[in-house]
Amino acid sequence: MDRLKTRLDNVFTFIAQDGSKRLATKSLIPLRDEKTITFEGEEYRIWDPYRSKLAAIILKGSSIGIKKDSSVLYLGAANGTTVSFVSDIVSEGTVFAVEFSTRAMQDLIRVSTPRMNLVPILADARHPVSYKNMVTEVDIIYQDVAQREQAEIAMRNAGLFLKQDGLLVLMIKSRSIDSVKKTSEIVDKEIKQLESSFDIRELIDLEPFHLDHTAVILQKVFYI
Ligand SMILES: C[S@@+](CC[C@H](N)C(=O)[O-])C[C@H]1O[C@@H](n2cnc3c(N)ncnc32)[C@H](O)[C@@H]1O
């Protein structure tokens, strides 16, 4: 089987038996109970784009600039599924993972415990001042909170934590914001609120992996 290095550190693509292109990461910790694939005697974790929107945007060819030494603020970490892959990618960096559900946090703590670069934070992303003392300045904010006030949450967090020229990756689920309006109208409205501080780099429709979802990648160019 051929392994293809992607433009991203610690991420690989391969062609599955059904002919589809798949992603895998080099695990930061020993693997247990995971779907894996072996290349040249080394095990890799298979990363499912139907379960992770970040995997979907990478498979769709996004140029998201995440590197092995990046620091990432991840808003809406849930039970840590995608966060664990981000932790694999930033093997020499740090992931600050914010989640406000206490139920999800129990799983997130289990995922974080063996991973020295993953910091779980039980907090509400709408109030970033509450975790100001736990988070450093970051290269990337990844926001997947399925909330109405996407742009406001992004601005508040980017103002406190995102480096100048840093990237904001926003996952917009149109039905969580408005069930009647068209996806494009909803995405435009959110972007309009961010235009004063960010340049828009990419808009990615996540179909067929995730319906009604758009990923927006923006770069912070002005002080907030
Ligand atoms: C769509 S899920 C995230 C899935 C996750 N990013 C993944 O790929 O594995 C949204 C998560 O955001 C969390 N969330 C929603 N609003 C939040 C807020 N204001 N602060 C922190 N977490 C929030 C929810 O509890 C939920 O776990």
Side-chain angles (χ1 to χ4, degrees):
M1 171 121 30
D2 283 339
R3 176 186 75 174
L4 300 171
K5 181 91 181 69
T6 65
R7 283 160 299 165
L8 300 179
D9 295 331
N10 296 321
V11 182
F12 299 89
T13 58
F14 63 96
I15 304 299
Q17 280 177 344
D18 64 3
S20 63
K21 192 168 149 191
R22 305 291 302 272
L23 283 183
T25 59
K26 178 97 188 66
S27 184
L28 198 60
I29 57 162
L31 291 166
R32 274 188 310 179
D33 311 327
E34 294 242 11
K35 284 192 184 160
T36 60
I37 184 155
T38 304
F39 298 110
E40 296 164 2
E42 287 206 85
E43 270 194 323
Y44 292 80
R45 302 171 70 206
I46 295 178
W47 193 7
D48 184 350
Y50 288 94
R51 294 189 65 205
S52 167
K53 286 161 231 151
L54 182 56
I57 67 172
I58 292 171
L59 259 189
K60 291 195 106 187
S62 158
S63 59
I64 172 177
I66 184 167
K67 303 193 192 85
K68 63 180 174 197
D69 60 354
S70 296
S71 47
V72 179
L73 172 60
Y74 192 122
L75 305 174
N79 59 5
T81 307
T82 299
V83 169
S84 68
F85 289 95
V86 178
S87 154
D88 283 347
I89 299 171
V90 301
S91 55
E92 295 168 20
T94 309
V95 190
F96 301 96
V98 175
E99 172 56 54
F100 74 174
S101 150
T102 48
R103 175 68 199 84
M105 182 51 66
Q106 290 173 17
D107 293 335
L108 183 59
I109 287 170
R110 258 193 298 280
V111 170
S112 308
T113 302
R115 294 177 171 272
M116 301 310 285
N117 68 349
L118 178 48
V119 182
I121 299 172
L122 179 64
D124 187 332
R126 289 171 294 192
H127 307 295
V129 172
S130 69
Y131 46 90
K132 195 167 168 269
N133 295 337
M134 289 180 234
V135 179
T136 60
E137 212 179 32
V138 295
D139 302 297
I140 298 172
I141 294 181
Y142 180 88
Q143 180 173 318
D144 183 18
V145 290
Q147 286 271 355
R148 282 175 170 272
E149 332 133 274
Q150 291 279 359
E152 290 92 335
I153 294 173
M155 286 291 262
R156 280 180 220 151
N157 280 277
L160 279 178
F161 305 116
L162 190 59
K163 285 181 186 164
Q164 205 61 14
D165 297 327
L167 290 182
L168 167 66
V169 182
L170 205 57
M171 294 295 165
I172 300 179
K173 183 180 180 187
S174 36
R175 266 183 296 133
S176 322
I177 295 177
D178 193 313
S179 56
V180 183
K181 278 193 184 142
K182 278 205 247 153
T183 299
S184 58
E185 277 179 62
I186 293 164
V187 172
D188 282 353
K189 184 168 169 276
E190 295 299 315
I191 288 175
K192 274 246 153 345
Q193 297 177 64
L194 296 166
E195 271 174 351
S196 58
S197 306
F198 293 89
D199 270 353
I200 299 152
R201 291 272 174 254
E202 270 186 90
L203 276 179
I204 307 147
D205 179 347
L206 296 192
E207 287 196 25
F209 304 113
H210 301 269
L211 303 183
D212 297 321
H213 278 85
T214 305
V216 188
I217 303 182
L218 308 106
Q219 184 166 29
K220 181 175 166 182
V221 287
F222 298 109
Y223 282 99
I224 300 174

